[in-house]
Amino acid sequence: MPPLPEVPSAAAPADGEQAGAALVEHYPRLVRLGYLVLPPSLGSHRRVLKAHALAQRCLLSGRRAGAGAGIPAPRGPGAAAAVDPSYAHARRRVLRAALAAG
């Protein structure tokens, strides 16, 4: 099989996959955030299920939309305060959905 031609990084399909992988890395944090924001009147079990549903919906819609802002910058020793833009977008979507459910 011949090697694949070089594709500019801005148009590479791997960008969406890498950004999606970055979001999957933050999945537990998104679920916890959704759980904490959902109203306690739902009960613990229903809140867990709803939080998972919110995080999954957010991740799926992010992949369909091109996964947000692209590849996050590498984290170095001094970049601990830097927030991954794709995670920030996912966090915002989960928060809005959880608040709307309340």
Side-chain angles (χ1 to χ4, degrees):
M1 176 183 256
L4 296 173
E6 289 288 325
V7 177
S9 63
D15 288 351
E17 292 173 8
Q18 289 177 355
L23 287 176
V24 170
E25 176 184 339
H26 298 294
Y27 179 79
R29 294 167 69 187
L30 294 171
V31 171
R32 282 188 218 111
L33 182 63
Y35 179 83
L36 291 173
V37 174
L38 286 167
S41 62
L42 290 176
S44 178
H45 183 71
R46 289 188 55 86
R47 281 171 62 194
V48 168
L49 294 176
K50 184 74 171 173
H52 277 283
L54 292 174
Q56 289 170 6
R57 191 176 317 136
C58 170
L59 294 177
L60 291 175
S61 67
R63 288 185 186 183
R64 272 185 256 137
I71 301 173
R75 295 185 180 193
V83 175
D84 179 6
S86 57
Y87 171 66
H89 178 71
R91 184 180 60 209
R92 186 178 314 115
R93 289 183 55 98
V94 169
L95 278 173
R96 286 182 179 167
L99 289 170

